Amino acid sequence: MEIINECRLLFTSVTVPPLLNGLLLSFKLAGGILLASLVAGTILALLKTYAGKIIGAVVTAYVEIFRNTPILFWITVCFIALPVGNQYIRASAGLFLASTATICEIVRGGLNSIGKGQIEAGKSQGLSRLQIIYAIILPQCLRRVVPNLINQTISVFKDTSFFGQVAIMEFLYCSRKLLGTANKYTGHGIGAMDAFIIFGAAAAVYFIINLLLSTIMRAIEMHGNKGKVVVK
Amino acid sequence: MADMFALWRWQKLWEDRMLFVKAFGVTVELAVGGLILALILGFLVGILATTSSRFVRALTRIYVELFRNIPLTLQVMFFYYGCVYGGIKISTLTVGIVGLGICSGAFIAEIVRGGLNAVPRGQYDAAFSQGLNYFQTMTRIILPQTIKIILPPLGTQLAWLVLDTSVLSIIAGGDLLYVTKNWACNGTLSYGPAYLVTGIIFFIICFPITHTARKYEKKMEVDRGEVL
């Protein structure tokens, strides 16, 4: 009973809207970063696979550097060092670079799994290299790596929680802020129960969204496996 | 930009090097402590996830899904602020080791479960037919084969654990990234050398691990290819 009462005091029409705004911001940042890094990662993977040794080595170096250093490190570095862009772009850049490296590795795995015969078949039809990549290789490749992209989507969404460290008002930052000012709403000192309620609620939100993400994406994957995806 | 890496900034960094050495020690402690806890939890839960009891399997599923789908940042904060506001005195090192261990344990449990499932059913039957009990079967027949299969993903997981120690900087954990940030923010604003050195340290620890894991994985693919 005490818990319900405490929840009522903590989650009011004053405190909930900022939390929802934070969640929305987390969504937007995660979505933007994912889309951008999907494009950039795919291009890097194509370059690494088809564009000769030197470019391949450069891409490999990039991937290795970003996969072997902490994401929070890059978020902080980019936030401090980037001379252009507003705070959102500067903060997102670090996660974007790290996510691009991961997606490059994922897509490269997909590219390697596609048989040589596909390229030869394309050539025999008189398609150019770009046409082969665009029309034959990429659609098959991306369909194959959907499960890994699910995991990456979840990872990126989870990693938006780092943005609080550079004062971006994402969901976890807002939750933490609410906890810090909880005494204003409950009328007594901040206790362990407040921490459990607020962070518990935040955990539930992250958990449900990520579970939903993996369920939806798995459904898409099943659909793709049926081979009934309409190619425009 | 050139001023970012000016010589006097490097000298400053060299004067305060012991701070970084100490922070490096904390990061290693976090990683090693977290790894030990994660391995114990991961193997325990991973093995339980392949038992015949539906109830036990459901429990392991809940543990794995819960800790894989919630950000480590939030897990650490939950634990830390829960203790702080609950009046329990707890060091950030303990919070870090327990937080990293439990979270990483969930990932290792999935790896172990996958490895156990990859061992053919016939191996169990053969072991039982020789009169071995469940414990003997696991320790002598199944686990040695499983460990061979799961070594590469375990290596990758270890590298992630090292990288994840940086999350502790959120609760002032005294780890490498926290000290870097603090040192650079205070006074001289010598971000350049501090972050460069820290990045290189992380890379030097993690690259050999991930590199070896990948090489071993490729070798296993080749070996398996020859058998088939």
Side-chain angles (χ1 to χ4, degrees):
Chain A
M1 273 305 108
E2 210 184 325
I3 287 186
I4 296 172
N5 207 17
E6 193 83 354
C7 285
R8 258 198 217 128
L9 291 171
L10 280 173
F11 300 117
T12 60
S13 56
V14 182
T15 60
V16 171
L19 285 178
L20 290 180
N21 277 337
L23 187 60
L24 193 66
L25 182 60
S26 289
F27 275 147
K28 282 183 193 161
L29 290 171
I33 289 165
L34 259 172
L35 277 181
S37 61
L38 184 62
V39 174
T42 307
I43 292 172
L44 285 188
L46 287 170
L47 285 176
K48 187 173 173 180
T49 315
Y50 300 119
K53 265 193 176 156
I54 298 172
I55 297 176
V58 173
V59 175
T60 306
Y62 169 82
V63 170
E64 291 301 335
I65 287 171
F66 279 90
R67 298 204 56 179
N68 288 299
T69 35
I71 291 172
L72 187 53
F73 170 88
W74 286 110
I75 291 174
T76 330
V77 167
C78 289
F79 190 76
I80 297 166
L82 273 190
V84 289
N86 60 21
Q87 50 173 339
Y88 298 109
I89 289 174
R90 274 165 40 221
S92 304
L95 186 48
F96 161 74
L97 290 173
S99 173
T100 299
T102 309
I103 289 182
C104 172
E105 275 301 280
I106 293 173
V107 175
R108 202 179 57 89
L111 290 175
N112 285 343
S113 75
I114 288 167
K116 244 195 145 105
Q118 297 286 326
I119 300 175
E120 281 158 9
K123 274 185 190 158
S124 77
Q125 296 297 310
L127 298 180
S128 72
R129 268 179 87 130
L130 270 182
Q131 281 174 319
I132 293 174
I133 287 171
Y134 175 74
I136 298 179
I137 310 284
L138 268 187
Q140 297 185 57
C141 164
L142 289 179
R143 211 174 300 165
R144 274 183 206 187
V145 296
V146 164
N148 301 41
L149 292 179
I150 303 169
N151 286 335
Q152 184 57 16
T153 307
I154 292 171
S155 281
V156 168
F157 182 55
K158 284 195 299 181
D159 289 342
T160 56
S161 63
F162 287 142
F163 288 146
Q165 288 310 295
V166 288
I168 301 288
M169 306 244 267
E170 46 78 40
F171 183 53
L172 191 56
Y173 182 88
C174 296
S175 305
R176 199 181 179 183
K177 208 171 141 198
L178 175 60
L179 178 64
T181 55
N183 52 348
K184 239 170 47 184
Y185 305 106
T186 57
H188 56 76
I190 305 164
M193 209 209 289
D194 299 318
F196 281 128
I197 290 171
I198 292 172
F199 285 140
V205 168
Y206 277 109
F207 181 71
I208 290 168
I209 290 168
N210 282 337
L211 214 58
L212 218 62
L213 270 176
S214 56
T215 312
I216 292 170
M217 297 277 242
R218 230 169 265 151
I220 296 172
E221 185 199 350
M222 298 281 265
H223 186 72
N225 284 347
K226 279 184 204 154
K228 284 177 184 169
V229 171
V230 182
V231 181
K232 278 182 202 164
Chain B
M1 199 66 198
D3 180 58
M4 251 322 194
F5 294 97
L7 188 63
W8 65 269
R9 294 191 191 274
W10 287 97
Q11 284 163 346
K12 201 99 192 145
L13 184 71
W14 182 249
E15 277 166 28
D16 291 337
R17 62 189 179 279
M18 284 325 283
L19 270 179
F20 285 82
V21 172
K22 217 178 129 203
F24 177 71
V26 172
T27 289
V28 171
E29 268 179 85
L30 283 168
V32 171
L35 180 69
I36 292 169
L37 182 60
L39 281 176
I40 294 170
L41 266 176
F43 270 88
L44 196 70
V45 176
I47 291 169
L48 287 177
T50 58
T51 52
S52 51
S53 160
R54 273 198 150 179
F55 177 69
V56 174
R57 283 211 311 265
L59 283 184
T60 63
R61 219 49 250 155
I62 292 171
Y63 164 68
V64 169
E65 293 297 340
L66 214 55
F67 284 91
R68 287 202 321 173
N69 283 322
I70 296 170
L72 179 59
T73 332
L74 177 53
Q75 293 174 31
V76 168
M77 276 190 198
F78 196 114
F79 190 23
Y80 181 67
Y81 286 109
C83 289
V84 167
Y85 287 122
I88 302 164
K89 276 224 164 104
I90 193 163
S91 72
T92 50
L93 192 70
T94 317
V95 173
I97 289 174
V98 174
L100 284 169
I102 294 179
C103 181
S104 205
F107 284 88
I108 290 180
E110 271 301 272
I111 295 171
V112 171
R113 189 178 66 92
L116 287 172
N117 285 339
V119 174
R121 185 72 228 164
Q123 296 287 325
Y124 289 89
D125 297 338
F128 287 136
S129 78
Q130 295 298 310
L132 300 183
N133 61 30
Y134 178 77
F135 184 74
Q136 288 169 323
T137 306
M138 282 319 253
T139 52
R140 293 191 196 167
I141 311 286
I142 308 298
L143 279 180
Q145 299 185 60
T146 309
I147 287 172
K148 213 180 141 193
I149 301 170
I150 64 176
L151 262 182
L154 272 188
T156 313
Q157 194 56 46
L158 170 62
W160 280 353
L161 196 102
V162 175
L163 298 180
D164 280 342
T165 57
S166 60
V167 168
L168 264 286
S169 64
I170 285 166
I171 55 164
D175 62 292
L176 198 51
L177 196 64
Y178 174 73
V179 169
T180 307
K181 194 176 173 183
N182 250 18
W183 183 83
C185 282
N186 286 342
T188 60
L189 298 179
S190 300
Y191 293 105
Y195 274 98
L196 187 62
V197 166
T198 298
I200 289 173
I201 291 176
F202 272 114
F203 186 79
I204 288 174
I205 304 174
C206 293
F207 180 67
I209 301 173
T210 51
H211 188 70
T212 315
R214 210 166 319 130
K215 242 169 84 182
Y216 184 81
E217 194 169 31
K218 266 199 189 130
K219 189 177 154 280
M220 278 202 331
E221 270 166 25
V222 174
D223 288 351
R224 230 176 288 148
E226 278 167 6
V227 172
L228 289 174

